[in-house]
Amino acid sequence: MNSLNKFFKLEEKGTNVKTELLAGLTTFLAMAYILGVNPSVLSDAGMSVPSVFMATALSAAVGSVLMGLLANYPVGLASGMGVNALFAYTICGQMGYSWAAALTAVFLSGIIFVIISVTGVRKMIIDAIPVQLKLAIGAGIGFFIAFVGFKNAGIIVANPATLVGLGNFTDPTVLLAIVGILITIFLVVKKVPAAVFVGMVVTAIIGIICGALGIDGMPALPTSMSLTFEMDAAGAFMNGFSELFANPMNAIVIIFSFLFVDFFDTAGTLVAIGNEIGLVNKQGELEGAEQALLADSIATVFGAAVGTSTVTSFVESTSGVEVGGRTGLTAVTTGVLFALSIFIAPVILSAITNSVTAPALIIVGVLMAQQLRGIEWNNIIFAISTFVTVISMILTYSISNGIAFGFIAYAISMIAAKKTKEIHMTVWILLVIFVIYFATPYMM
C-alpha cells in the first residue's frame, strides 16, 4: 500500500487506495457498454465480432493502464464512439475502403498524434481551430451515431419515396430496441450510475427471456463458455497501405479526420476532468497534458495494431471522479477490469445484438449533442458552420464530409464578414485540402 501511495501520490491528491479502486470500478461500468457496441459497429465494416471484442478489451486495458502510469490521471480509455462510426460507415461503407486500409489510417493518425504529443505542436493546433467548430463537430457526431442506432434497430428504414421512414414496429427486435431506449432514458434521467451499461444489461435480459419464450431474433445465452481468443485483425493494418494511398488526397483527409476527432475529443475530456480535480493552473493550462496525450496516442497505435478503431479518453471517466477518483490508480483499476472482461466474452458476444446496442448509440448521441449548448447561435457565422457540419454528417452519412463542409462554410462566412485576417493559417491549409478533396474523383 505504501508503494501505491508513493507512486500515485494518493495522500497528496487527497485520496486512498479504497476510494481509487471503487472509482476505477465505477469508471469501468460506465464504459463497459463499448465492449458490446464497438464489435457491433465494426462488424458493419466486415470485421469479425469476436476479433473486435478482443481488440477492444485489450486496447482499453493497455490504454487505461498507460494513462494511469504515465500521466497519473483518473481517465479510462477505449475505442471511441464516433470514430468507430467514421471507420465503419464512412471510410469502409461509403468510401469503399477495406477495414484493413481503415486500420492503416488509424495507425498513422496515432503515429502523428504521438509526434504531436512529444513535440508541443498540440498547443498550436488547439489554438488554430475555432472552439465553435470543435463543438459543432462533436455534436454532429452525436447526431450521426444516434441515427446509426435508429437504423441498426430498424426504427428508421430506407423509403423509396422519402429516402427514410419508420420501420415495422410489430417486429419483435424493433420492439426490444424501443423498450431498451425507454429503459435507458429513464435510467439516465434518474442519474443511475453507469446508466447506459445498465440499460444494455436490462435490455439483454429482457431479450433473453423473450428468446426463451420462442420469439425469434432475440439475444441468447452462450451454449459454451469456451474462450477462443480470436485475433484475426491483429497486424492487418500492414496490409492496407497500398490501398489507402492509391488516392493520396483521400488518404490525407481520412487520416486527418481520425486525428482531428481523436485529438479534440481527448483534449476536451482531459480539460473537463482536469478542471474537476484541480489540474488546470492559473494560466488555464492543463498540468501533465503531454503525458496524458502521449498515453492516448500510444493506445491508438496499439489499438490499430491489434485490430480496432481509434482508442481515446472517455468522458464517462467523470463517473469515477465523482466518487473520489483522483489519480492514475483509478485508470489502472479500470484497465485491469477491461482485461478481466475477456473471460466473459462468450456471454457478451451472444447476448449483445443490434437491438441491445442501439439504445446505447442513441443515448450516447444525445449526450454528445449537448455540446450544441456552447454554440453562439446569435453569431450567424457560427450558426451557419454548425448547422452545415451537423446536417452534412447526417444527410451524407459521412463524418468526414461533415467536418469538411463545416470548415468550408466557416471560411466562406468569415470572408463574407470581412474577417479574413482572423482565419488561422491552419484553417486555410485545411480549406485547400478539403476543396481538392471534393474536386478529385474518389470512391464515395
Side-chain angles (χ1 to χ4, degrees):
M1 292 297 181
N2 287 333
S3 59
L4 288 176
N5 182 39
K6 184 176 180 181
F7 183 86
F8 292 107
K9 302 177 182 179
L10 300 182
E11 287 187 8
E12 181 181 325
K13 300 291 184 178
T15 184
N16 55 59
V17 172
K18 181 180 178 181
T19 299
E20 293 293 300
L21 294 179
L22 177 60
L25 172 62
T26 302
T27 298
F28 169 74
L29 292 175
M31 295 174 59
Y33 68 86
I34 198 65
L35 291 170
V37 174
N38 200 50
S40 174
V41 171
L42 296 193
S43 68
D44 289 340
M47 298 187 72
S48 161
V49 169
S51 179
V52 176
F53 173 85
M54 286 293 296
T56 302
L58 284 174
S59 58
V62 171
S64 298
V65 170
L66 278 175
M67 181 64 77
L69 297 181
L70 292 181
N72 200 24
Y73 273 35
V75 177
L77 282 74
S79 300
M81 295 293 291
V83 275
N84 56 3
L86 171 63
F87 184 109
Y89 304 115
T90 298
I91 310 306
C92 295
Q94 193 177 47
M95 299 180 73
Y97 285 93
S98 69
W99 54 262
L103 285 176
T104 302
V106 173
F107 179 83
L108 292 175
S109 72
I111 294 295
I112 295 171
F113 199 172
V114 170
I115 296 171
I116 289 172
S117 301
V118 299
T119 59
V121 177
R122 67 178 184 86
K123 187 177 187 301
M124 181 187 74
I125 296 176
I126 290 176
D127 292 343
I129 310 299
V131 173
Q132 300 291 307
L133 276 181
K134 299 171 193 171
L135 294 173
I137 290 167
I141 292 173
F143 279 99
F144 180 83
I145 63 174
F147 181 71
V148 170
F150 281 116
K151 180 186 75 71
N152 288 352
I155 296 173
I156 297 296
V157 297
N159 186 303
T162 60
L163 295 183
V164 294
L166 284 178
N168 179 10
F169 280 23
T170 63
D171 185 322
T173 60
V174 175
L175 288 174
L176 178 62
I178 293 172
V179 169
I181 293 168
L182 295 176
I183 290 171
T184 309
I185 288 173
F186 179 85
L187 295 172
V188 169
V189 173
K190 297 294 288 185
K191 298 183 179 180
V192 173
V196 175
F197 174 71
V198 174
M200 284 181 60
V201 171
V202 174
T203 305
I205 291 173
I206 292 173
I208 290 170
I209 294 173
C210 290
L213 295 175
I215 299 176
D216 293 332
M218 294 291 110
L221 291 174
T223 56
S224 170
M225 285 299 292
S226 60
L227 300 173
T228 59
F229 298 104
E230 182 180 321
M231 295 288 290
D232 292 348
F237 76 95
M238 293 294 293
N239 303 322
F241 281 89
S242 59
E243 180 186 354
L244 178 64
F245 287 98
N247 185 324
M249 187 54 61
N250 266 12
I252 291 172
V253 172
I254 291 168
I255 294 169
F256 169 76
S257 295
F258 279 129
L259 177 64
F260 186 97
V261 175
D262 184 24
F263 185 81
F264 288 108
D265 186 46
T266 296
T269 297
L270 295 180
V271 169
I273 292 176
N275 275 318
E276 184 76 17
I277 62 178
L279 291 176
V280 178
N281 61 29
K282 294 180 180 179
Q283 289 72 43
E285 298 173 336
L286 187 63
E287 298 175 6
E290 285 81 4
Q291 293 90 332
L293 289 171
L294 180 61
D296 190 292
S297 57
I298 293 174
T300 288
V301 173
F302 177 81
V306 296
T308 186
S309 51
T310 304
V311 177
T312 188
S313 301
F314 263 54
V315 73
E316 285 85 350
S317 301
T318 53
S319 62
V321 171
E322 288 173 359
V323 298
R326 293 293 181 273
T327 76
L329 183 54
T330 292
V332 171
T333 302
T334 299
V336 170
L337 291 171
F338 268 114
L340 293 176
S341 69
I342 291 172
F343 297 98
I344 59 170
V347 174
I348 295 175
L349 294 176
S350 62
I352 303 300
T353 64
N354 280 344
S355 296
V356 176
T357 58
L361 289 169
I362 293 164
I363 299 304
V364 170
V366 171
L367 299 176
M368 292 180 69
Q370 288 183 316
Q371 294 178 66
L372 288 177
R373 64 174 173 241
I375 300 295
E376 297 176 20
W377 291 104
N378 59 336
N379 185 320
I380 191 62
I381 295 174
F382 297 137
I384 289 173
S385 53
T386 296
F387 180 81
V388 169
T389 299
V390 174
I391 201 70
S392 297
M393 282 191 192
I394 301 170
L395 296 185
T396 67
Y397 209 71
S398 169
I399 292 171
S400 58
N401 280 351
I403 294 173
F405 282 129
F407 269 87
I408 293 171
Y410 169 76
I412 296 299
S413 298
M414 290 290 283
I415 292 171
K418 297 182 179 181
K419 295 183 177 181
T420 307
K421 293 182 180 179
E422 297 179 28
I423 303 177
H424 196 281
M425 180 57 66
T426 303
V427 175
W428 282 118
I429 293 172
L430 293 174
L431 180 64
V432 172
I433 291 173
F434 288 138
V435 170
I436 296 173
Y437 170 64
F438 287 118
T440 303
Y442 58 96
M443 298 170 63
M444 290 290 282

